């Protein structure tokens, strides 16, 4: 296995200076229209100007107002005087031997989050973050050891998609036919943070990603993963409309309380109730149950049988995730034979149970390994073990 490549991107020309001007990235269409009105754009033109600028930014990936040639020169200068089009700054890009790319990006205030691009034969998935650190403390998750610093803005969330498209060179030429084969074809909100604890910003960012005059990603190509913030689950269907995944990981409340502490607030029964009522659930839009395979913790045959019993009646698929160790982690990955036996029981019960191939392990980009060096790392090894009931 060749050594991963780390490129110190700071030496490359920054994609945009920090201008102190109002950044348009992340504004909703209505927010953009209001911003244009504030600089004196005539009311009757505002909607059209919004559409034009929106397309330049999100369809063509243009960052320079001067290049927006369907706008009058004077108006472009006006825009330049008041606004900027800024993305989070890529601090480092690391490429794994298996092609996975991990970006460490810096956002306002100097905080850092991680973004991971996973290329596959039939798709390219971007795993994006919604918080710096996390509000929750799932004991198998590296991010969970990092106290929440803050929520990301809608601009910082959609900015992760845009900077990955920059790196992949995926912005279409103006007038070019629509490119159906995308390098970045899927988005998963499975990076750092609990997306449903930052609902509005996640919603606004995903609306930009799904906008037919924007990044034009189908809602069925976007999956939001929650650890179980029950009150916001139905809202996800109503206001975002993307696919849903749940960090499930256990089949008893006793174990799930330890692995996913939010279970103490909304336990398995309550969570499954919300999923049964999920407005968009259907065989064509199954809910993904994420299940991390932890040796001797949640990987028994009894667990597998209990799992399929619990989710009966919910159109679902189960993603089995071999645990990816991180420094100080209190768990071990289940043996492969155990994982395959577990998958077999689930599969025989009629559920798709793919085993997620760990990607980017050599660059700490695999599921549950993300953590930025941003301050306020909270827990020592002893704390983590105690939290997991192992201390
Ligand atoms: S699994 Fe998700 S919700 Fe849990 S600590 Fe990690 S990032 Fe937060």
């Amino acid at each position: 296995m060749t050594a991963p490549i780390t490129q110190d991107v700071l030496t490359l020309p920054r994609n945009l200076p920090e201008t102190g001007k109002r950044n348009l990235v992340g504004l909703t269409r209505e927010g953009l229209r209001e911003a244009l009105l504030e600089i004196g754009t005539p009311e009757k033109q505002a909607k059209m100007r919004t559409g034009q600028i929106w397309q330049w930014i999100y369809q063509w990936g243009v960052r320079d107002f001067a290049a927006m040639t369907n706008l009058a020169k004077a108006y472009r200068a006006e825009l330049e005087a008041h606004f900027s089009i800024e993305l989070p700054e890529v601090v480092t890009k690391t490429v794994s031997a298996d092609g996975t790319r991990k970006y460490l990006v810096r956002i306002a205030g100097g905080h850092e989050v991680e973004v991971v691009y996973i290329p596959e034969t039939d798709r390219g998935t971007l795993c994006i973050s919604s918080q710096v650190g996390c509000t929750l403390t799932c004991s198998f998750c590296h991010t969970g050891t990092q106290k929440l610093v803050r929520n990301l803005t809608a601009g910082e969330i959609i900015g992760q998609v845009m900077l990955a498209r920059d790196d992949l060179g995926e912005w279409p030429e103006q007038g070019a036919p629509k490119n159906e084969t995308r390098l970045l074809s899927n988005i998963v909100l499975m990076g750092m943070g609990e997306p449903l604890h930052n609902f509005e910003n996640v919603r606004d960012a995903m609306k930009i990603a799904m906008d037919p005059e924007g990044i034009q990603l189908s809602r069925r190509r976007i999956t939001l993963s929650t650890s179980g913030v029950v009150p916001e689950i139905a809202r996800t269907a109503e206001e975002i409309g993307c696919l849903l995944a749940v960090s499930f990981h256990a089949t008893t409340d006793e174990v799930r309380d330890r692995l996913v502490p939010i279970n103490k607030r909304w336990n398995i029964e309550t969570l499954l109730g919300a999923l049964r009522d999920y407005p968009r659930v259907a065989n064509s839009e199954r809910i993904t149950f994420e299940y991390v395979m932890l040796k001797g913790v949640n990987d028994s045959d009894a667990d597998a049988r209990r799992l399929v019993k619990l989710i009966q009646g919910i159109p679902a698929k189960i993603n089995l995730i071999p645990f990816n160790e991180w420094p100080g982690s209190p768990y071990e990955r289940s043996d492969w034979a155990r994982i395959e036996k577990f998958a077999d029981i689930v599969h025989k019960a009629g559920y798709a149970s793919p085993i997620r191939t760990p990607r980017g392990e050599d660059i700490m980009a695999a599921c549950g390994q993300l953590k930025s060096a941003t301050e306020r790392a909270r827990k020592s090894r002893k704390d983590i073990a105690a939290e997991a009931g192992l201390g």
Side-chain angles (χ1 to χ4, degrees):
M1 181 176 270
T2 49
I5 303 158
T6 296
Q7 193 181 11
D8 193 355
V9 175
L10 261 180
T11 56
L12 296 177
R14 286 186 181 171
N15 46 17
L16 280 158
E18 281 151 16
T19 59
K21 296 174 188 172
R22 181 149 189 214
N23 184 8
L24 298 184
V25 175
L27 292 181
T28 60
R29 276 180 179 270
E30 185 46 30
L32 177 55
R33 195 182 76 85
E34 279 159 21
L36 298 179
L37 288 171
E38 278 161 27
I39 64 159
T41 305
E43 177 77 41
K44 62 182 187 320
Q45 291 179 13
K47 189 160 184 285
M48 183 169 75
R49 297 287 175 251
T50 300
Q52 291 168 309
I53 295 166
W54 186 271
Q55 267 194 311
W56 283 114
I57 296 174
Y58 297 118
Q59 194 164 344
W60 314 120
V62 167
R63 309 283 154 74
D64 178 5
F65 294 108
M68 300 180 177
T69 49
N70 58 1
L71 302 172
K73 259 209 170 81
Y75 189 63
R76 283 182 254 165
E78 199 57 25
L79 294 172
E80 177 62 38
H82 290 90
F83 302 124
S84 66
I85 305 171
E86 290 183 62
L87 304 187
E89 184 184 346
V90 178
V91 179
T92 60
K93 176 177 95 175
T94 314
V95 183
S96 157
D98 66 20
T100 300
R101 303 180 187 196
K102 181 165 88 171
Y103 308 95
L104 180 67
V105 302
R106 186 169 293 142
I107 57 176
H111 306 301
E112 294 167 342
V113 292
E114 295 183 320
V115 188
V116 176
Y117 174 71
I118 306 149
E120 289 167 280
T121 47
D122 62 345
R123 67 182 64 190
T125 302
L126 191 73
C127 177
I128 61 175
S129 296
S130 56
Q131 298 181 308
V132 182
C134 188
T135 18
L136 304 172
T137 56
C138 304
S139 55
F140 58 86
C141 173
H142 205 188
T143 307
T145 66
Q146 190 178 358
K147 223 177 188 171
L148 176 72
V149 177
R150 73 167 172 81
N151 280 340
L152 271 62
T153 64
E156 290 161 345
I157 295 170
I158 196 64
Q160 295 169 58
V161 179
M162 296 168 76
L163 63 87
R165 295 195 95 196
D166 288 354
D167 185 46
L168 295 163
E170 185 140 85
W171 294 105
E173 289 301 315
Q174 218 210 338
K178 190 171 176 206
N179 172 1
E180 294 306 337
T181 52
R182 291 176 175 228
L183 296 172
L184 199 170
S185 60
N186 293 60
I187 292 173
V188 292
L189 284 141
M190 295 180 184
M192 300 167 73
E194 166 53 63
L196 295 188
H197 277 167
N198 187 12
F199 189 92
E200 287 74 19
N201 290 324
V202 165
R203 175 201 57 204
D204 294 351
M206 291 306 103
K207 283 197 163 173
I208 295 172
M210 294 186 281
D211 188 293
E213 289 180 332
I215 295 172
Q216 301 172 337
L217 265 180
S218 151
R219 64 181 186 79
R220 293 166 65 146
R221 295 258 179 187
I222 297 175
T223 304
L224 182 151
S225 173
T226 179
S227 55
V229 184
V230 167
E232 303 287 24
I233 288 180
R235 210 176 152 205
T236 305
E238 286 137 17
E239 297 183 32
I240 306 178
C242 59
L243 301 184
L244 187 71
V246 177
S247 286
F248 202 62
H249 306 312
T251 62
T252 66
D253 283 324
E254 191 257 331
V255 175
R256 199 164 187 268
D257 284 355
R258 280 197 280 129
L259 297 181
V260 189
I262 197 170
N263 192 68
K264 297 170 192 160
R265 183 94 180 269
W266 297 289
N267 64 13
I268 290 177
E269 190 191 343
T270 310
L271 174 57
L272 291 174
L275 299 177
R276 281 180 212 291
D277 301 340
Y278 189 62
R280 279 190 183 275
V281 70
N283 280 334
S284 59
E285 297 197 17
R286 295 167 183 261
I287 292 177
T288 302
F289 284 75
E290 296 170 300
Y291 199 92
V292 66
M293 299 301 292
L294 303 169
K295 191 171 186 160
V297 175
N298 64 352
D299 61 355
S300 67
D301 291 0
D303 281 305
R305 284 190 288 272
R306 245 192 324 266
L307 177 59
V308 291
K309 201 154 177 297
L310 283 168
I311 65 173
Q312 230 156 25
I314 301 177
K317 62 182 175 186
I318 293 141
N319 248 350
L320 302 179
I321 306 167
F323 175 60
N324 299 302
E325 299 191 14
W326 37 273
S329 58
Y331 301 112
E332 280 179 67
R333 175 184 291 179
S334 303
D335 302 334
W336 276 103
R338 179 97 298 274
I339 297 176
E340 276 151 5
K341 179 73 189 313
F342 194 103
D344 193 45
I345 294 170
V346 171
H347 190 65
K348 286 207 171 86
Y351 292 94
S353 55
I355 300 172
R356 196 179 288 176
T357 314
R359 296 292 303 271
E361 276 185 289
D362 55 338
I363 57 169
M364 288 290 284
C367 304
Q369 290 185 320
L370 301 189
K371 179 176 180 176
S372 66
T374 296
E375 74 273 14
R376 294 177 70 187
R378 179 171 56 193
K379 300 208 165 161
S380 69
R381 179 186 291 272
K382 198 166 102 339
D383 291 350
I384 298 170
E387 179 88 22
L390 297 169

